[in-house]
Amino acid sequence: VHAAFLLAAVGVNASPAGSPGAKRTLAPGGVMQVGSYHLRYLGVKSTDKAGRTVVTAALAVRRGARGWLERPGMVFYTGSAEPVAQISIHRGIFSDLYVVLEGTGSRQSVLLEVMVNPMVSWIWMSLPVLVTGVLLVGKSRRRVLESRDAVELWPGPDQAIRRDPL
């Protein structure tokens, strides 16, 4: 249980500290760097679905030797004035990458907000550690109580009655 609180405390203290972020307008092929993440904007796609339009930006992301594709988006519901953001989140042990598509412009340009939040996963890792600790403590406590109940309460004929002070 103590280890869980330590994990959560480290995660909470580190997550807002020095988290880099940037907001930029990019044209197709445009590149931006936030912290150790390199992002290249590939293009935007609009899809009409029942009662809504989904606008999605494609981004090639690289961090060190690893690369992947992120697709943040916006959903425009029929009859609603404001879009709903589909935030793209890439989780890691030491940092999480959040990419928000904030708007589109002329010639396929997009406004992106990119945030790097360090050690957020440590907060989430503390939950199973906490549950495991609570279950182990409960099990060992139950064993102690059962062993106390197993002590013979009535002495046999050859045993003297012992009086324990309260």
Side-chain angles (χ1 to χ4, degrees), residues 15 19-23 32 34 37 39 59 61 68 70 72 86-92 95-101 112-121 123-124:
S15 60
S19 54
K23 190 184 281 194
M32 68 185 291
V34 179
Y37 294 91
L39 297 92
L59 298 161
V61 181
W68 63 93
E70 293 291 334
Q86 290 182 330
I87 301 169
S88 180
I89 302 173
H90 182 81
R91 290 176 172 72
S95 67
D96 293 351
L97 175 70
Y98 292 68
V99 183
V100 182
L101 175 62
L112 297 172
E113 182 172 5
V114 181
M115 295 160 281
V116 177
N117 294 321
M119 302 182 94
V120 172
S121 60
I123 300 168
W124 294 110

PDB file of all heavy atoms in Angstrom, residues 15 19-23 32 34 37 39 59 61 68 70 72 86-92 95-101 112-121 123-124:
ATOM      1  N   SER A  15       4.105  15.199 -13.025  1.00  0.00           N
ATOM      2  CA  SER A  15       3.303  15.418 -14.239  1.00  0.00           C
ATOM      3  C   SER A  15       3.148  16.882 -14.647  1.00  0.00           C
ATOM      4  O   SER A  15       3.246  17.181 -15.832  1.00  0.00           O
ATOM      5  CB  SER A  15       1.952  14.724 -14.129  1.00  0.00           C
ATOM      6  OG  SER A  15       1.218  15.198 -13.051  1.00  0.00           O
ATOM      7  N   SER A  19       6.249  20.272 -18.226  1.00  0.00           N
ATOM      8  CA  SER A  19       5.660  19.567 -19.351  1.00  0.00           C
ATOM      9  C   SER A  19       5.623  20.494 -20.564  1.00  0.00           C
ATOM     10  O   SER A  19       4.935  21.503 -20.571  1.00  0.00           O
ATOM     11  CB  SER A  19       4.258  19.066 -19.010  1.00  0.00           C
ATOM     12  OG  SER A  19       3.459  20.117 -18.552  1.00  0.00           O
ATOM     13  N   PRO A  20       6.411  20.147 -21.598  1.00  0.00           N
ATOM     14  CA  PRO A  20       6.449  21.013 -22.773  1.00  0.00           C
ATOM     15  C   PRO A  20       5.172  20.899 -23.586  1.00  0.00           C
ATOM     16  O   PRO A  20       4.518  19.868 -23.598  1.00  0.00           O
ATOM     17  CB  PRO A  20       7.648  20.498 -23.555  1.00  0.00           C
ATOM     18  CG  PRO A  20       7.847  19.099 -23.107  1.00  0.00           C
ATOM     19  CD  PRO A  20       7.317  19.026 -21.710  1.00  0.00           C
ATOM     20  N   GLY A  21       4.838  21.966 -24.236  1.00  0.00           N
ATOM     21  CA  GLY A  21       3.667  21.983 -25.104  1.00  0.00           C
ATOM     22  C   GLY A  21       3.838  23.050 -26.167  1.00  0.00           C
ATOM     23  O   GLY A  21       4.653  23.956 -26.023  1.00  0.00           O
ATOM     24  N   ALA A  22       3.079  22.894 -27.248  1.00  0.00           N
ATOM     25  CA  ALA A  22       3.164  23.871 -28.332  1.00  0.00           C
ATOM     26  C   ALA A  22       1.846  23.879 -29.084  1.00  0.00           C
ATOM     27  O   ALA A  22       1.134  22.878 -29.137  1.00  0.00           O
ATOM     28  CB  ALA A  22       4.304  23.534 -29.275  1.00  0.00           C
ATOM     29  N   LYS A  23       1.542  25.041 -29.667  1.00  0.00           N
ATOM     30  CA  LYS A  23       0.365  25.197 -30.512  1.00  0.00           C
ATOM     31  C   LYS A  23       0.840  25.825 -31.807  1.00  0.00           C
ATOM     32  O   LYS A  23       1.431  26.899 -31.794  1.00  0.00           O
ATOM     33  CB  LYS A  23      -0.665  26.090 -29.816  1.00  0.00           C
ATOM     34  CG  LYS A  23      -2.004  26.117 -30.507  1.00  0.00           C
ATOM     35  CD  LYS A  23      -2.970  27.088 -29.836  1.00  0.00           C
ATOM     36  CE  LYS A  23      -3.547  26.459 -28.593  1.00  0.00           C
ATOM     37  NZ  LYS A  23      -4.724  27.207 -28.097  1.00  0.00           N
ATOM     38  N   MET A  32       6.861  19.794 -36.644  1.00  0.00           N
ATOM     39  CA  MET A  32       7.047  20.481 -35.367  1.00  0.00           C
ATOM     40  C   MET A  32       7.675  19.514 -34.377  1.00  0.00           C
ATOM     41  O   MET A  32       7.542  18.299 -34.515  1.00  0.00           O
ATOM     42  CB  MET A  32       5.726  21.060 -34.833  1.00  0.00           C
ATOM     43  CG  MET A  32       4.698  20.046 -34.409  1.00  0.00           C
ATOM     44  SD  MET A  32       3.101  20.771 -33.922  1.00  0.00           S
ATOM     45  CE  MET A  32       3.483  21.597 -32.422  1.00  0.00           C
ATOM     46  N   VAL A  34       8.125  18.839 -30.177  1.00  0.00           N
ATOM     47  CA  VAL A  34       7.726  19.154 -28.813  1.00  0.00           C
ATOM     48  C   VAL A  34       8.441  18.161 -27.909  1.00  0.00           C
ATOM     49  O   VAL A  34       8.196  16.956 -27.975  1.00  0.00           O
ATOM     50  CB  VAL A  34       6.195  19.055 -28.629  1.00  0.00           C
ATOM     51  CG1 VAL A  34       5.821  19.374 -27.198  1.00  0.00           C
ATOM     52  CG2 VAL A  34       5.477  19.966 -29.592  1.00  0.00           C
ATOM     53  N   TYR A  37       9.618  14.567 -29.051  1.00  0.00           N
ATOM     54  CA  TYR A  37       8.714  14.071 -30.091  1.00  0.00           C
ATOM     55  C   TYR A  37       8.823  14.942 -31.344  1.00  0.00           C
ATOM     56  O   TYR A  37       8.780  16.161 -31.263  1.00  0.00           O
ATOM     57  CB  TYR A  37       7.262  14.093 -29.603  1.00  0.00           C
ATOM     58  CG  TYR A  37       6.998  13.139 -28.463  1.00  0.00           C
ATOM     59  CD1 TYR A  37       7.128  13.559 -27.141  1.00  0.00           C
ATOM     60  CD2 TYR A  37       6.598  11.828 -28.701  1.00  0.00           C
ATOM     61  CE1 TYR A  37       6.878  12.692 -26.091  1.00  0.00           C
ATOM     62  CE2 TYR A  37       6.341  10.961 -27.659  1.00  0.00           C
ATOM     63  CZ  TYR A  37       6.482  11.395 -26.356  1.00  0.00           C
ATOM     64  OH  TYR A  37       6.232  10.536 -25.317  1.00  0.00           O
ATOM     65  N   LEU A  39       6.893  15.602 -34.968  1.00  0.00           N
ATOM     66  CA  LEU A  39       5.621  15.357 -35.635  1.00  0.00           C
ATOM     67  C   LEU A  39       5.651  15.935 -37.044  1.00  0.00           C
ATOM     68  O   LEU A  39       6.086  17.069 -37.236  1.00  0.00           O
ATOM     69  CB  LEU A  39       4.466  15.996 -34.854  1.00  0.00           C
ATOM     70  CG  LEU A  39       4.217  15.461 -33.448  1.00  0.00           C
ATOM     71  CD1 LEU A  39       4.982  16.253 -32.426  1.00  0.00           C
ATOM     72  CD2 LEU A  39       2.754  15.489 -33.147  1.00  0.00           C
ATOM     73  N   LEU A  59      -0.892  12.369 -38.553  1.00  0.00           N
ATOM     74  CA  LEU A  59       0.431  12.841 -38.141  1.00  0.00           C
ATOM     75  C   LEU A  59       1.370  11.656 -37.996  1.00  0.00           C
ATOM     76  O   LEU A  59       1.031  10.670 -37.332  1.00  0.00           O
ATOM     77  CB  LEU A  59       0.351  13.551 -36.783  1.00  0.00           C
ATOM     78  CG  LEU A  59      -0.502  14.803 -36.714  1.00  0.00           C
ATOM     79  CD1 LEU A  59      -0.857  15.115 -35.288  1.00  0.00           C
ATOM     80  CD2 LEU A  59       0.257  15.946 -37.328  1.00  0.00           C
ATOM     81  N   VAL A  61       4.530  10.453 -36.167  1.00  0.00           N
ATOM     82  CA  VAL A  61       5.238  10.856 -34.949  1.00  0.00           C
ATOM     83  C   VAL A  61       6.466   9.968 -34.801  1.00  0.00           C
ATOM     84  O   VAL A  61       6.416   8.760 -35.037  1.00  0.00           O
ATOM     85  CB  VAL A  61       4.324  10.712 -33.708  1.00  0.00           C
ATOM     86  CG1 VAL A  61       5.054  11.160 -32.452  1.00  0.00           C
ATOM     87  CG2 VAL A  61       3.037  11.492 -33.888  1.00  0.00           C
ATOM     88  N   TRP A  68       5.212   6.107 -35.229  1.00  0.00           N
ATOM     89  CA  TRP A  68       3.826   5.663 -35.277  1.00  0.00           C
ATOM     90  C   TRP A  68       2.970   6.763 -35.884  1.00  0.00           C
ATOM     91  O   TRP A  68       3.438   7.862 -36.132  1.00  0.00           O
ATOM     92  CB  TRP A  68       3.315   5.254 -33.902  1.00  0.00           C
ATOM     93  CG  TRP A  68       3.290   6.364 -32.893  1.00  0.00           C
ATOM     94  CD1 TRP A  68       2.252   7.192 -32.607  1.00  0.00           C
ATOM     95  CD2 TRP A  68       4.353   6.782 -32.035  1.00  0.00           C
ATOM     96  NE1 TRP A  68       2.596   8.098 -31.631  1.00  0.00           N
ATOM     97  CE2 TRP A  68       3.880   7.859 -31.270  1.00  0.00           C
ATOM     98  CE3 TRP A  68       5.667   6.343 -31.840  1.00  0.00           C
ATOM     99  CZ2 TRP A  68       4.682   8.498 -30.326  1.00  0.00           C
ATOM    100  CZ3 TRP A  68       6.445   6.994 -30.895  1.00  0.00           C
ATOM    101  CH2 TRP A  68       5.954   8.057 -30.153  1.00  0.00           C
ATOM    102  N   GLU A  70      -0.527   9.081 -35.515  1.00  0.00           N
ATOM    103  CA  GLU A  70      -1.564   9.609 -34.623  1.00  0.00           C
ATOM    104  C   GLU A  70      -2.652  10.258 -35.471  1.00  0.00           C
ATOM    105  O   GLU A  70      -2.352  10.842 -36.521  1.00  0.00           O
ATOM    106  CB  GLU A  70      -0.987  10.640 -33.645  1.00  0.00           C
ATOM    107  CG  GLU A  70      -0.025  10.066 -32.633  1.00  0.00           C
ATOM    108  CD  GLU A  70      -0.677   9.152 -31.610  1.00  0.00           C
ATOM    109  OE1 GLU A  70      -1.887   9.307 -31.333  1.00  0.00           O
ATOM    110  OE2 GLU A  70       0.024   8.275 -31.089  1.00  0.00           O
ATOM    111  N   PRO A  72      -5.592  12.721 -34.432  1.00  0.00           N
ATOM    112  CA  PRO A  72      -6.530  13.550 -33.665  1.00  0.00           C
ATOM    113  C   PRO A  72      -7.658  14.021 -34.584  1.00  0.00           C
ATOM    114  O   PRO A  72      -7.484  14.090 -35.801  1.00  0.00           O
ATOM    115  CB  PRO A  72      -5.671  14.716 -33.187  1.00  0.00           C
ATOM    116  CG  PRO A  72      -4.608  14.829 -34.236  1.00  0.00           C
ATOM    117  CD  PRO A  72      -4.341  13.425 -34.704  1.00  0.00           C
ATOM    118  N   GLN A  86     -11.597  14.865 -30.589  1.00  0.00           N
ATOM    119  CA  GLN A  86     -11.119  13.499 -30.417  1.00  0.00           C
ATOM    120  C   GLN A  86      -9.619  13.608 -30.193  1.00  0.00           C
ATOM    121  O   GLN A  86      -8.845  13.734 -31.142  1.00  0.00           O
ATOM    122  CB  GLN A  86     -11.415  12.649 -31.647  1.00  0.00           C
ATOM    123  CG  GLN A  86     -12.865  12.335 -31.843  1.00  0.00           C
ATOM    124  CD  GLN A  86     -13.089  11.448 -33.072  1.00  0.00           C
ATOM    125  OE1 GLN A  86     -12.348  11.508 -34.044  1.00  0.00           O
ATOM    126  NE2 GLN A  86     -14.126  10.644 -33.001  1.00  0.00           N
ATOM    127  N   ILE A  87      -9.232  13.583 -28.937  1.00  0.00           N
ATOM    128  CA  ILE A  87      -7.835  13.782 -28.568  1.00  0.00           C
ATOM    129  C   ILE A  87      -7.064  12.491 -28.818  1.00  0.00           C
ATOM    130  O   ILE A  87      -7.512  11.409 -28.440  1.00  0.00           O
ATOM    131  CB  ILE A  87      -7.720  14.217 -27.099  1.00  0.00           C
ATOM    132  CG1 ILE A  87      -8.488  15.515 -26.893  1.00  0.00           C
ATOM    133  CG2 ILE A  87      -6.258  14.361 -26.685  1.00  0.00           C
ATOM    134  CD1 ILE A  87      -8.663  15.908 -25.456  1.00  0.00           C
ATOM    135  N   SER A  88      -5.923  12.617 -29.426  1.00  0.00           N
ATOM    136  CA  SER A  88      -5.056  11.472 -29.675  1.00  0.00           C
ATOM    137  C   SER A  88      -4.057  11.389 -28.531  1.00  0.00           C
ATOM    138  O   SER A  88      -3.330  12.346 -28.271  1.00  0.00           O
ATOM    139  CB  SER A  88      -4.353  11.653 -31.016  1.00  0.00           C
ATOM    140  OG  SER A  88      -3.528  10.563 -31.276  1.00  0.00           O
ATOM    141  N   ILE A  89      -4.034  10.246 -27.844  1.00  0.00           N
ATOM    142  CA  ILE A  89      -3.143  10.073 -26.693  1.00  0.00           C
ATOM    143  C   ILE A  89      -2.245   8.873 -26.933  1.00  0.00           C
ATOM    144  O   ILE A  89      -2.719   7.777 -27.216  1.00  0.00           O
ATOM    145  CB  ILE A  89      -3.942   9.866 -25.385  1.00  0.00           C
ATOM    146  CG1 ILE A  89      -4.877  11.043 -25.133  1.00  0.00           C
ATOM    147  CG2 ILE A  89      -2.988   9.648 -24.211  1.00  0.00           C
ATOM    148  CD1 ILE A  89      -5.825  10.838 -23.967  1.00  0.00           C
ATOM    149  N   HIS A  90      -0.950   9.095 -26.827  1.00  0.00           N
ATOM    150  CA  HIS A  90       0.033   8.007 -26.907  1.00  0.00           C
ATOM    151  C   HIS A  90       0.673   7.887 -25.526  1.00  0.00           C
ATOM    152  O   HIS A  90       1.360   8.802 -25.076  1.00  0.00           O
ATOM    153  CB  HIS A  90       1.092   8.300 -27.975  1.00  0.00           C
ATOM    154  CG  HIS A  90       2.079   7.192 -28.125  1.00  0.00           C
ATOM    155  ND1 HIS A  90       1.801   6.070 -28.858  1.00  0.00           N
ATOM    156  CD2 HIS A  90       3.322   7.026 -27.628  1.00  0.00           C
ATOM    157  CE1 HIS A  90       2.837   5.260 -28.811  1.00  0.00           C
ATOM    158  NE2 HIS A  90       3.771   5.821 -28.073  1.00  0.00           N
ATOM    159  N   ARG A  91       0.419   6.761 -24.858  1.00  0.00           N
ATOM    160  CA  ARG A  91       0.893   6.571 -23.495  1.00  0.00           C
ATOM    161  C   ARG A  91       2.273   5.919 -23.470  1.00  0.00           C
ATOM    162  O   ARG A  91       2.568   5.034 -24.254  1.00  0.00           O
ATOM    163  CB  ARG A  91      -0.091   5.706 -22.724  1.00  0.00           C
ATOM    164  CG  ARG A  91      -1.392   6.414 -22.437  1.00  0.00           C
ATOM    165  CD  ARG A  91      -2.395   5.489 -21.757  1.00  0.00           C
ATOM    166  NE  ARG A  91      -3.593   6.174 -21.308  1.00  0.00           N
ATOM    167  CZ  ARG A  91      -4.543   6.631 -22.091  1.00  0.00           C
ATOM    168  NH1 ARG A  91      -4.434   6.509 -23.380  1.00  0.00           N
ATOM    169  NH2 ARG A  91      -5.611   7.215 -21.602  1.00  0.00           N
ATOM    170  N   GLY A  92       3.079   6.357 -22.518  1.00  0.00           N
ATOM    171  CA  GLY A  92       4.396   5.781 -22.299  1.00  0.00           C
ATOM    172  C   GLY A  92       4.681   5.703 -20.812  1.00  0.00           C
ATOM    173  O   GLY A  92       3.963   6.284 -19.999  1.00  0.00           O
ATOM    174  N   SER A  95       6.401   9.336 -20.219  1.00  0.00           N
ATOM    175  CA  SER A  95       5.676  10.520 -20.698  1.00  0.00           C
ATOM    176  C   SER A  95       4.542  10.099 -21.629  1.00  0.00           C
ATOM    177  O   SER A  95       4.606   9.060 -22.282  1.00  0.00           O
ATOM    178  CB  SER A  95       6.609  11.493 -21.420  1.00  0.00           C
ATOM    179  OG  SER A  95       7.075  10.925 -22.625  1.00  0.00           O
ATOM    180  N   ASP A  96       3.502  10.908 -21.646  1.00  0.00           N
ATOM    181  CA  ASP A  96       2.356  10.717 -22.533  1.00  0.00           C
ATOM    182  C   ASP A  96       2.315  11.884 -23.514  1.00  0.00           C
ATOM    183  O   ASP A  96       2.575  13.030 -23.142  1.00  0.00           O
ATOM    184  CB  ASP A  96       1.038  10.700 -21.745  1.00  0.00           C
ATOM    185  CG  ASP A  96       0.906   9.499 -20.828  1.00  0.00           C
ATOM    186  OD1 ASP A  96       1.753   8.587 -20.916  1.00  0.00           O
ATOM    187  OD2 ASP A  96      -0.041   9.475 -20.026  1.00  0.00           O
ATOM    188  N   LEU A  97       1.953  11.580 -24.764  1.00  0.00           N
ATOM    189  CA  LEU A  97       1.822  12.597 -25.794  1.00  0.00           C
ATOM    190  C   LEU A  97       0.342  12.804 -26.074  1.00  0.00           C
ATOM    191  O   LEU A  97      -0.379  11.852 -26.363  1.00  0.00           O
ATOM    192  CB  LEU A  97       2.538  12.152 -27.078  1.00  0.00           C
ATOM    193  CG  LEU A  97       2.386  13.077 -28.288  1.00  0.00           C
ATOM    194  CD1 LEU A  97       3.163  14.367 -28.055  1.00  0.00           C
ATOM    195  CD2 LEU A  97       2.849  12.375 -29.555  1.00  0.00           C
ATOM    196  N   TYR A  98      -0.122  14.064 -25.953  1.00  0.00           N
ATOM    197  CA  TYR A  98      -1.507  14.423 -26.247  1.00  0.00           C
ATOM    198  C   TYR A  98      -1.497  15.343 -27.465  1.00  0.00           C
ATOM    199  O   TYR A  98      -0.776  16.334 -27.475  1.00  0.00           O
ATOM    200  CB  TYR A  98      -2.139  15.184 -25.080  1.00  0.00           C
ATOM    201  CG  TYR A  98      -2.360  14.370 -23.827  1.00  0.00           C
ATOM    202  CD1 TYR A  98      -1.283  13.909 -23.070  1.00  0.00           C
ATOM    203  CD2 TYR A  98      -3.638  14.081 -23.384  1.00  0.00           C
ATOM    204  CE1 TYR A  98      -1.486  13.171 -21.922  1.00  0.00           C
ATOM    205  CE2 TYR A  98      -3.852  13.343 -22.230  1.00  0.00           C
ATOM    206  CZ  TYR A  98      -2.776  12.889 -21.501  1.00  0.00           C
ATOM    207  OH  TYR A  98      -2.981  12.152 -20.365  1.00  0.00           O
ATOM    208  N   VAL A  99      -2.319  15.003 -28.472  1.00  0.00           N
ATOM    209  CA  VAL A  99      -2.420  15.835 -29.668  1.00  0.00           C
ATOM    210  C   VAL A  99      -3.887  16.189 -29.868  1.00  0.00           C
ATOM    211  O   VAL A  99      -4.747  15.315 -29.928  1.00  0.00           O
ATOM    212  CB  VAL A  99      -1.878  15.110 -30.921  1.00  0.00           C
ATOM    213  CG1 VAL A  99      -1.924  16.041 -32.120  1.00  0.00           C
ATOM    214  CG2 VAL A  99      -0.463  14.605 -30.692  1.00  0.00           C
ATOM    215  N   VAL A 100      -4.156  17.512 -29.968  1.00  0.00           N
ATOM    216  CA  VAL A 100      -5.516  18.012 -30.131  1.00  0.00           C
ATOM    217  C   VAL A 100      -5.597  18.771 -31.452  1.00  0.00           C
ATOM    218  O   VAL A 100      -4.795  19.674 -31.701  1.00  0.00           O
ATOM    219  CB  VAL A 100      -5.905  18.958 -28.968  1.00  0.00           C
ATOM    220  CG1 VAL A 100      -7.343  19.440 -29.129  1.00  0.00           C
ATOM    221  CG2 VAL A 100      -5.713  18.275 -27.628  1.00  0.00           C
ATOM    222  N   LEU A 101      -6.564  18.394 -32.284  1.00  0.00           N
ATOM    223  CA  LEU A 101      -6.844  19.137 -33.507  1.00  0.00           C
ATOM    224  C   LEU A 101      -7.810  20.248 -33.128  1.00  0.00           C
ATOM    225  O   LEU A 101      -8.942  19.982 -32.747  1.00  0.00           O
ATOM    226  CB  LEU A 101      -7.462  18.222 -34.571  1.00  0.00           C
ATOM    227  CG  LEU A 101      -7.919  18.886 -35.858  1.00  0.00           C
ATOM    228  CD1 LEU A 101      -6.764  19.543 -36.591  1.00  0.00           C
ATOM    229  CD2 LEU A 101      -8.627  17.878 -36.743  1.00  0.00           C
ATOM    230  N   LEU A 112      -2.848  22.699 -34.458  1.00  0.00           N
ATOM    231  CA  LEU A 112      -2.633  21.594 -33.529  1.00  0.00           C
ATOM    232  C   LEU A 112      -2.115  22.097 -32.198  1.00  0.00           C
ATOM    233  O   LEU A 112      -1.289  23.014 -32.154  1.00  0.00           O
ATOM    234  CB  LEU A 112      -1.598  20.611 -34.093  1.00  0.00           C
ATOM    235  CG  LEU A 112      -1.944  19.879 -35.380  1.00  0.00           C
ATOM    236  CD1 LEU A 112      -0.733  19.115 -35.880  1.00  0.00           C
ATOM    237  CD2 LEU A 112      -3.115  18.942 -35.158  1.00  0.00           C
ATOM    238  N   GLU A 113      -2.573  21.487 -31.134  1.00  0.00           N
ATOM    239  CA  GLU A 113      -1.983  21.705 -29.817  1.00  0.00           C
ATOM    240  C   GLU A 113      -1.402  20.373 -29.378  1.00  0.00           C
ATOM    241  O   GLU A 113      -2.104  19.356 -29.353  1.00  0.00           O
ATOM    242  CB  GLU A 113      -3.010  22.196 -28.804  1.00  0.00           C
ATOM    243  CG  GLU A 113      -2.370  22.475 -27.456  1.00  0.00           C
ATOM    244  CD  GLU A 113      -3.299  23.140 -26.455  1.00  0.00           C
ATOM    245  OE1 GLU A 113      -4.491  23.315 -26.760  1.00  0.00           O
ATOM    246  OE2 GLU A 113      -2.816  23.472 -25.368  1.00  0.00           O
ATOM    247  N   VAL A 114      -0.124  20.388 -29.048  1.00  0.00           N
ATOM    248  CA  VAL A 114       0.593  19.178 -28.659  1.00  0.00           C
ATOM    249  C   VAL A 114       1.141  19.376 -27.250  1.00  0.00           C
ATOM    250  O   VAL A 114       1.766  20.395 -26.957  1.00  0.00           O
ATOM    251  CB  VAL A 114       1.743  18.877 -29.649  1.00  0.00           C
ATOM    252  CG1 VAL A 114       2.477  17.609 -29.248  1.00  0.00           C
ATOM    253  CG2 VAL A 114       1.206  18.771 -31.071  1.00  0.00           C
ATOM    254  N   MET A 115       0.891  18.397 -26.379  1.00  0.00           N
ATOM    255  CA  MET A 115       1.357  18.469 -24.991  1.00  0.00           C
ATOM    256  C   MET A 115       2.069  17.174 -24.626  1.00  0.00           C
ATOM    257  O   MET A 115       1.633  16.092 -25.037  1.00  0.00           O
ATOM    258  CB  MET A 115       0.182  18.676 -24.041  1.00  0.00           C
ATOM    259  CG  MET A 115      -0.527  19.997 -24.232  1.00  0.00           C
ATOM    260  SD  MET A 115      -2.184  19.954 -23.539  1.00  0.00           S
ATOM    261  CE  MET A 115      -3.061  19.094 -24.819  1.00  0.00           C
ATOM    262  N   VAL A 116       3.133  17.289 -23.869  1.00  0.00           N
ATOM    263  CA  VAL A 116       3.839  16.133 -23.334  1.00  0.00           C
ATOM    264  C   VAL A 116       3.672  16.188 -21.823  1.00  0.00           C
ATOM    265  O   VAL A 116       4.081  17.156 -21.176  1.00  0.00           O
ATOM    266  CB  VAL A 116       5.334  16.158 -23.716  1.00  0.00           C
ATOM    267  CG1 VAL A 116       6.063  14.981 -23.088  1.00  0.00           C
ATOM    268  CG2 VAL A 116       5.485  16.153 -25.230  1.00  0.00           C
ATOM    269  N   ASN A 117       3.046  15.148 -21.274  1.00  0.00           N
ATOM    270  CA  ASN A 117       2.805  15.086 -19.833  1.00  0.00           C
ATOM    271  C   ASN A 117       3.627  13.957 -19.230  1.00  0.00           C
ATOM    272  O   ASN A 117       3.340  12.782 -19.462  1.00  0.00           O
ATOM    273  CB  ASN A 117       1.319  14.863 -19.542  1.00  0.00           C
ATOM    274  CG  ASN A 117       0.488  16.035 -19.978  1.00  0.00           C
ATOM    275  OD1 ASN A 117       0.896  17.179 -19.820  1.00  0.00           O
ATOM    276  ND2 ASN A 117      -0.661  15.772 -20.542  1.00  0.00           N
ATOM    277  N   PRO A 118       4.673  14.301 -18.464  1.00  0.00           N
ATOM    278  CA  PRO A 118       5.532  13.262 -17.910  1.00  0.00           C
ATOM    279  C   PRO A 118       4.891  12.519 -16.744  1.00  0.00           C
ATOM    280  O   PRO A 118       4.162  13.097 -15.947  1.00  0.00           O
ATOM    281  CB  PRO A 118       6.772  14.034 -17.450  1.00  0.00           C
ATOM    282  CG  PRO A 118       6.322  15.432 -17.274  1.00  0.00           C
ATOM    283  CD  PRO A 118       5.163  15.637 -18.191  1.00  0.00           C
ATOM    284  N   MET A 119       5.125  11.225 -16.710  1.00  0.00           N
ATOM    285  CA  MET A 119       4.843  10.324 -15.585  1.00  0.00           C
ATOM    286  C   MET A 119       3.370  10.221 -15.180  1.00  0.00           C
ATOM    287  O   MET A 119       3.072   9.824 -14.051  1.00  0.00           O
ATOM    288  CB  MET A 119       5.723  10.691 -14.397  1.00  0.00           C
ATOM    289  CG  MET A 119       7.195  10.631 -14.745  1.00  0.00           C
ATOM    290  SD  MET A 119       8.273  11.004 -13.396  1.00  0.00           S
ATOM    291  CE  MET A 119       8.571   9.352 -12.808  1.00  0.00           C
ATOM    292  N   VAL A 120       2.458  10.504 -16.070  1.00  0.00           N
ATOM    293  CA  VAL A 120       1.036  10.335 -15.756  1.00  0.00           C
ATOM    294  C   VAL A 120       0.718   8.857 -15.546  1.00  0.00           C
ATOM    295  O   VAL A 120      -0.098   8.495 -14.695  1.00  0.00           O
ATOM    296  CB  VAL A 120       0.148  10.933 -16.876  1.00  0.00           C
ATOM    297  CG1 VAL A 120      -1.305  10.598 -16.670  1.00  0.00           C
ATOM    298  CG2 VAL A 120       0.343  12.438 -16.936  1.00  0.00           C
ATOM    299  N   SER A 121       1.377   7.983 -16.298  1.00  0.00           N
ATOM    300  CA  SER A 121       1.115   6.549 -16.173  1.00  0.00           C
ATOM    301  C   SER A 121       1.477   6.021 -14.783  1.00  0.00           C
ATOM    302  O   SER A 121       0.921   5.021 -14.340  1.00  0.00           O
ATOM    303  CB  SER A 121       1.862   5.768 -17.252  1.00  0.00           C
ATOM    304  OG  SER A 121       3.243   5.977 -17.132  1.00  0.00           O
ATOM    305  N   ILE A 123       0.699   7.410 -12.024  1.00  0.00           N
ATOM    306  CA  ILE A 123      -0.516   7.576 -11.218  1.00  0.00           C
ATOM    307  C   ILE A 123      -1.442   6.385 -11.465  1.00  0.00           C
ATOM    308  O   ILE A 123      -1.992   5.799 -10.529  1.00  0.00           O
ATOM    309  CB  ILE A 123      -1.219   8.903 -11.553  1.00  0.00           C
ATOM    310  CG1 ILE A 123      -0.287  10.082 -11.261  1.00  0.00           C
ATOM    311  CG2 ILE A 123      -2.532   9.034 -10.790  1.00  0.00           C
ATOM    312  CD1 ILE A 123      -0.764  11.402 -11.822  1.00  0.00           C
ATOM    313  N   TRP A 124      -1.604   6.013 -12.739  1.00  0.00           N
ATOM    314  CA  TRP A 124      -2.480   4.879 -13.072  1.00  0.00           C
ATOM    315  C   TRP A 124      -1.884   3.558 -12.603  1.00  0.00           C
ATOM    316  O   TRP A 124      -2.622   2.655 -12.199  1.00  0.00           O
ATOM    317  CB  TRP A 124      -2.750   4.841 -14.576  1.00  0.00           C
ATOM    318  CG  TRP A 124      -3.538   6.021 -15.015  1.00  0.00           C
ATOM    319  CD1 TRP A 124      -3.099   7.055 -15.780  1.00  0.00           C
ATOM    320  CD2 TRP A 124      -4.900   6.319 -14.701  1.00  0.00           C
ATOM    321  NE1 TRP A 124      -4.097   7.971 -15.962  1.00  0.00           N
ATOM    322  CE2 TRP A 124      -5.219   7.547 -15.303  1.00  0.00           C
ATOM    323  CE3 TRP A 124      -5.880   5.674 -13.953  1.00  0.00           C
ATOM    324  CZ2 TRP A 124      -6.468   8.132 -15.194  1.00  0.00           C
ATOM    325  CZ3 TRP A 124      -7.131   6.258 -13.845  1.00  0.00           C
ATOM    326  CH2 TRP A 124      -7.402   7.473 -14.463  1.00  0.00           C
TER     327      TRP A 124
END
